[in-house]
């Protein structure tokens, strides 16, 4: 009996060592994300939680909902097979790259533009959406275009490219940076700003819920969204790109565009359909 106890202790310790060696203790750079995800049958995605139509946690059931959520689920099934799981972790514009680099998430699908500076720290998939920066104002506002923002206060989110863009395009605008876009909207609504700026698709989602607000000035940048992946993961990146191409080819992509953006004032879904 005593011997059995020792034996089971040794086996348990061995198992523990093996388990630890298999996951957290190995440096991220030497892990193969695709292999790990195949083993766990799960891809962990960093998604937005406060952007209606794109990535929003529904307070009624606690579920993430939106175009990027559905797209992540569709790509997961292409990469892992139809029983593959997509797990979601909430990110903001500021936290998304650190969370990826720390290994908390496998991929970012969170309205993130493919930018040369970001490419220095992470890799991107092929582009999966074409957005452009725009402006949201109260319906009776005198602001009609980006130039009218000079001398005005405009709200946006920390860590978003929208802040850098507006500082270049309307250098005399004051930019009030909030932790996320939900708070940037609250600041606008409470009169702390004269306008809010970020990508058209994000603003259009906010305008759906806030009919007193509208998009003005068209788009004044191009923002190609890419899925963020850690460097040194070519297998995972290729699998994601292949999955995305299949989702576009089999018509799922355009179905999702229609589902989420088919009837949104101030946003023309036809411009973002993929052939
Ligand atoms: N697409 C822009 C960016 O990547 C703004 C939206 C966002 O921050 O999520 O920075």
């Amino acid at each position: 009996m005593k011997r059995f106890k020792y034996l089971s202790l040794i086996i348990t310790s061995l198992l523990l060592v093996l388990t630890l060696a298999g996951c957290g203790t190995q440096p991220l750079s030497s892990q193969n994300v695709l292999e790990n995800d195949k083993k766990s049958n799960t891809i962990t995605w960093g998604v937005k939680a406060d952007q209606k139509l794109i990535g929003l946690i529904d307070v009624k059931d606690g579920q993430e909902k939106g175009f990027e959520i559905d797209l992540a689920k569709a790509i997961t099934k292409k990469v892992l097979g139809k029983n593959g799981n997509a797990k979601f972790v909430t990110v903001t514009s500021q936290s998304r790259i650190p969370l990826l680099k720390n290994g908390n998430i496998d991929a970012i699908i969170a309205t993130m533009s493919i930018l040369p500076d970001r490419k220095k720290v992470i890799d991107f998939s092929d582009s999966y959406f074409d957005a452009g920066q725009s402006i949201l104002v109260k319906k009776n506002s005198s602001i009609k275009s980006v130039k009218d923002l000079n001398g005005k206060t405009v709200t946006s989110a920390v860590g978003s490219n929208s802040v850098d863009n507006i500082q270049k395009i309307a250098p005399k605008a004051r930019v009030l940076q909030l932790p996320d876009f939900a708070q940037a909207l609250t600041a606008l609504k409470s009169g702390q700003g004269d306008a809010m700026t970020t990508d058209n698709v994000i603003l259009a989602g906010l305008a759906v819920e806030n009919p007193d607000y509208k998009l003005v000035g068209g788009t004044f940048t191009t923002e190609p969204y890419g899925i963020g992946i850690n460097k040194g993961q070519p297998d995972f990146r290729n699998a994601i790109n292949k999955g995305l191409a299949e989702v576009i080819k089999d018509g799922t992509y355009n179905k999702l565009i229609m589902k989420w953006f088919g009837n949104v004032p101030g946003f023309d879904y036809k411009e973002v359909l993929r052939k």
Side-chain angles (χ1 to χ4, degrees), residues 48 93 96 110-113 118 159-162 181 198-199 202 223 225:
K48 291 289 182 79
S93 297
R96 58 194 163 191
T111 58
M112 185 167 61
S113 305
R118 289 179 181 156
S160 87
N161 183 36
S162 317
F181 291 116
T198 187
D199 301 336
I202 301 173
E223 305 293 330
Y225 291 170

Side-chain angles (χ1 to χ4, degrees), residues 245-263:
E246 282 171 29
V247 165
I248 294 172
K249 200 163 172 238
D250 73 9
T252 308
Y253 182 91
N254 284 350
K255 262 190 215 147
L256 294 180
I257 291 287
M258 294 287 293
K259 172 181 172 189
W260 292 101
F261 309 117
N263 190 18

